[in-house]
Amino acid sequence: RVLNKVCVVTFPLGLAGVPALNDLVEIVSAICSFVFVITGGRGVDGLVHSDNVYCVPVKMRIESSIFNRVVAYALTQLEIGIRIIAVSRTVKTYVFSIGGELLLIPILCAKLRGRRVILMPGGNVPAIYRSKSSPFAFLTGWLCTVDFALADTIVVYGRHMINEFDGRIPEHKVVIASQHHI
C-alpha cells in the first residue's frame, strides 16, 4: 500500500454519480490502508463497502427557492467541513471529486489542518451553469478559481480540460490521467 489513510470527498450524489464514486473508491482502497468517504444522498446507499472503506454520511438538502438552495448548499459545505475536521487526525490526503471543485469550505478546512488536497473535476461546472443562464454561473466560476488555487494537485482527464476552464487551472498543479479515476 502506497498511502496510509485517504479521504474521498464528494457533494451529496444522485444515482448517476454512484458508479464513478465506487470506481474511485475501489482504486484508492487498493493503494491505501484505509479510506474514509464523505458523501451524501445516493452516494451513501450505493457505496460498495470493503474492509478498509468507511462512509461518513452527509445529509442531502433539497430546496426549491433560490435563497433556500444557497442556504442549504452552505449548510452542506459546513457539514462536510466538520466531517473533514473530525477525520483529519489520521487523514493526510483529501481527494475531492464529483462536485468537489465547488466545495470551498471543506477545502479550506483541509488546508487549515495542513492536509494535502487533490481535486478531480469531472467537467467544467462553470460552463454548464453559464450555458443554462443560471444565476449561479459567476459563483461557480469564482469557487472553481479559488479551489484550484488552494489545491495541491489537480487531476484532469486530458489536456483539453485545462483550456476548457478558461485559465482557472494553474498548469503547474496539473496531472493528466488518461484513464478515468486512475
Side-chain angles (χ1 to χ4, degrees):
R1 303 223 184 244
V2 177
L3 299 170
N4 188 15
K5 295 180 182 175
V6 169
C7 184
V8 174
V9 183
T10 74
F11 195 75
L13 300 176
L15 190 57
V18 172
L21 175 61
N22 280 326
D23 288 349
L24 177 59
V25 170
E26 180 182 347
I27 292 164
V28 172
S29 67
I31 61 171
C32 298
S33 60
F34 197 83
V35 180
F36 289 100
V37 180
I38 299 175
T39 190
R42 293 289 184 99
V44 174
D45 301 329
L47 186 65
V48 175
H49 297 280
S50 66
D51 292 341
N52 65 331
V53 175
Y54 179 74
C55 185
V56 181
V58 174
K59 183 179 178 185
M60 179 77 164
R61 295 170 175 86
I62 301 171
E63 298 292 338
S64 55
S65 77
I66 290 179
F67 177 77
N68 288 346
R69 285 172 54 196
V70 169
V71 170
Y73 193 78
L75 289 172
T76 301
Q77 287 212 28
L78 283 171
E79 185 177 349
I80 293 169
I82 289 166
R83 302 288 188 272
I84 282 174
I85 291 168
V87 301
S88 69
R89 241 188 215 155
T90 57
V91 172
K92 302 291 185 233
T93 302
Y94 290 86
V95 178
F96 287 81
S97 182
I98 313 176
E101 65 273 22
L102 301 178
L103 295 176
L104 177 59
I105 295 170
I107 289 171
L108 282 172
C109 290
K111 294 305 289 182
L112 289 171
R113 297 288 293 176
R115 303 309 189 244
R116 185 163 187 242
V117 170
I118 300 171
L119 274 179
M120 299 177 67
N124 188 340
V125 176
I128 294 168
Y129 278 81
R130 275 194 313 271
S131 71
K132 296 179 179 182
S133 299
S134 169
F136 301 114
F138 172 79
L139 181 60
T140 58
W142 182 82
L143 287 171
C144 279
T145 301
V146 173
D147 289 347
F148 289 150
L150 290 170
D152 296 291
T153 304
I154 302 163
V155 179
V156 297
Y157 303 116
R159 195 137 202 69
H160 68 280
M161 284 187 75
I162 298 168
N163 298 332
E164 285 179 15
F165 278 93
D166 304 322
R168 287 186 173 93
I169 297 179
E171 288 197 48
H172 69 280
K173 296 181 177 187
V174 171
V175 173
I176 297 175
S178 58
Q179 299 294 318
H180 189 66
H181 287 305
I182 301 293

